[in-house]
Amino acid sequence: MSWPVHPALGDPVMDTMNFLNEIAARYPAAISFAPGRPYDGFFDVEQIFGHLRGYLDHLAAGLNPAQVRDALFQYGPTAGRIQGLIAEALRQDEGFDVPDESIVVTVGAQEAMLLTVRALFSRPEDVLLVCSPCYVGVVGVARLLGVTVRAVPERENGLDAGDLELAIKAEKALGNNPRAVYVIPDHSNPSGNTLGLETREQVLQIAHREQVLVLEDSPYRWAGPSEPVPSLKRLDQHRQVVQLGSFSKTVFPGARVGYVVADQEVAGGGLLAAELAKVKSMVTVNTPPLSQAVVAGALLSGGGGVRDLTAQTRRHYQRAMQLTLDQLQLRLAGLPVRWNRPSGGFFLSLQVPFPADDRELISCAEEFGVLWTPMRYFHPDSGGEHGIRLSISCLSDEEIATGVSRLAVYLTSRCSATSRQ
Ligand SMILES: Cc1ncc(COP(=O)(O)O)c(C=O)c1O
């Protein structure tokens, strides 16, 4: 007997995350520009104990020993224990003020996406708009929940607000209900693009006019310059933005802690955050208190926010990106290849004159010793056939230099084969 499973599990997007995590292990000798993992050179096991101690001291200032013990050992409140510290971090880092009750602490931004999409989408005509290329995690969530995804193709420097408006109107003309648009405004995964202030303001105006929510997901925001463009949530004047937050790239991903800011009022009264907490109670019950404690301790050690906490890693990512861009300029000049120039973050994208598919990836890994990710994986519909994502986040300077030189040999050979065809 073979047991049928939910058809969404057969969707290619379901295999992408594992593929990205495992491909590097298949080619250990290759230099991998594939995985979007944080740089681990600054991780130190002792930091975890320090953060835990710092948070326990913080608790002990206001709670008795039994309460402190419970805060670590017991099931916690579904919405979390550290919303006050997260709200303070948002005040310091982002300059916006939200009540603690509008925050739900989640198991990474990934869970925040699941809770939000589950709570907001219920009817067959409800549509989630996403930029294309797009992070696979949100497309996967939508597919698992049976929610229709509609791609809004990015232009070379990111989402165009006019394209978004047209896409919303096209859905409405079809009788559909575009409920939300998912956006990665800073150093996007996978393109590496960052939206300028004007585009952000236009997106918010359109969202308000068309009554569409904006799901802002920006885990790479603090992997670039120290003064990022104001977040969509900061610019939001009509509570149109639900912010999906992550500590994976600012603290560490093993903690699996994120959050969602959902200060919208829902039909029937109350905040969207309270509804998300109901969903969470049936998914993960609560985010592990031990993980919340470590992340809280990290925030306290950074003076309350992530800006100072990430000073060293931000410098690292900016430098690694610049080094990669310099090497690309040096080694690919003259080839019919284009790429964008992010100011930080983990990713950049290349356009090549041949289809960059799985077969290409495998032959590049086997013959040239370098790995990358086909951009095709990140397009919910068609598109991206000629795109390559390079992730520079966890490579050393030597690996970047050698990796780009191997990539140049590969691209030179492929481009000349293409021009002969
Ligand atoms: C755009 C984007 N959102 C969310 C996530 C997942 O974040 P978390 O580790 O907080 O679940 C990732 C992870 O790579 C990502 O690239």
Side-chain angles (χ1 to χ4, degrees), residues 129 164-175 178 209-210:
L129 296 164
L164 173 64
E165 186 162 26
L166 287 177
I168 293 172
K169 288 191 187 308
E171 288 306 319
K172 289 187 175 174
L174 288 169
R209 204 160 52 234
E210 299 290 340

Side-chain angles (χ1 to χ4, degrees), residues 36 107-110 113 135 182 184 189 217 219-220 245-249 256-257:
V107 179
Q110 189 61 36
M113 279 171 223
Y135 173 58
Y182 168 87
I184 309 172
N189 180 8
D217 179 20
Y220 307 97
S246 173
F247 289 108
S248 289
K249 277 78 187 184
R256 304 302 306 125
V257 178

Side-chain angles (χ1 to χ4, degrees), residues 115-351:
L115 306 182
T116 307
V117 174
R118 176 63 300 154
L120 292 174
F121 291 76
S122 58
R123 292 173 298 172
E125 61 272 26
D126 290 348
V127 169
L128 174 66
L129 296 164
V130 302
C131 303
S132 179
C134 178
Y135 173 58
V136 291
V138 74
V139 179
V141 158
R143 296 264 155 86
L144 277 177
L145 297 176
V147 170
T148 304
V149 170
R150 216 65 96 204
V152 185
E154 270 192 8
R155 301 212 181 178
E156 211 150 283
N157 49 4
L159 174 70
D160 178 86
D163 293 345
L164 173 64
E165 186 162 26
L166 287 177
I168 293 172
K169 288 191 187 308
E171 288 306 319
K172 289 187 175 174
L174 288 169
N176 289 334
N177 178 20
R179 293 225 65 195
V181 54
Y182 168 87
V183 187
I184 309 172
D186 305 280
H187 311 301
S188 175
N189 180 8
S191 69
N193 288 328
T194 293
L195 295 184
L197 180 59
E198 200 186 341
T199 306
R200 293 177 194 226
E201 283 169 342
Q202 289 167 346
V203 165
L204 291 173
Q205 281 160 12
I206 293 165
H208 180 54
R209 204 160 52 234
E210 299 290 340
Q211 285 305 296
V212 169
L213 288 168
V214 178
L215 311 186
E216 175 179 40
D217 179 20
S218 203
Y220 307 97
R221 183 167 170 75
W222 295 102
S226 57
E227 291 304 331
V229 187
S231 70
L232 289 162
K233 189 67 196 159
R234 163 139 191 213
L235 299 168
D236 181 20
Q237 302 195 341
H238 304 282
R239 291 201 255 172
Q240 213 78 34
V241 178
V242 176
Q243 191 174 62
L244 313 167
S246 173
F247 289 108
S248 289
K249 277 78 187 184
T250 49
V251 181
F252 60 94
R256 304 302 306 125
V257 178
Y259 60 91
V260 48
V261 179
D263 58 351
Q264 291 70 22
E265 280 192 14
V266 296
L271 290 179
L272 177 59
E275 305 303 309
L276 301 184
K278 285 188 206 163
V279 184
K280 184 174 170 71
S281 74
M282 296 297 164
V283 181
T284 52
V285 185
N286 56 229
T287 301
L290 207 49
S291 284
Q292 292 187 64
V294 173
V295 166
L299 290 176
L300 291 166
S301 78
V306 299
R307 187 189 297 262
D308 290 349
L309 198 61
T310 52
Q312 194 180 28
T313 46
R314 277 190 282 112
R315 275 197 302 275
H316 169 81
Y317 294 128
Q318 283 179 276
R319 221 181 47 78
M321 182 60 77
Q322 193 51 53
L323 177 64
T324 309
L325 294 171
D326 293 346
Q327 289 292 316
L328 290 171
Q329 190 60 41
L330 186 72
R331 304 199 183 268
L332 304 192
L335 289 180
V337 175
R338 297 192 319 276
W339 61 92
N340 60 351
R341 289 172 172 72
S343 57
F346 286 21
F347 310 107
L348 76 157
S349 41
L350 259 74
Q351 297 299 317

Side-chain angles (χ1 to χ4, degrees), residues 351-388:
Q351 297 299 317
V352 297
F354 55 87
D357 54 19
D358 284 5
R359 244 192 17 214
E360 283 295 334
L361 172 61
I362 288 165
S363 87
C364 183
E366 286 175 355
E367 294 169 43
F368 298 88
V370 64
L371 280 164
W372 36 267
T373 311
M375 207 51 117
R376 178 71 204 92
Y377 294 178
F378 304 108
H379 287 260
D381 302 330
S382 60
E385 285 79 7
H386 291 263
I388 281 178

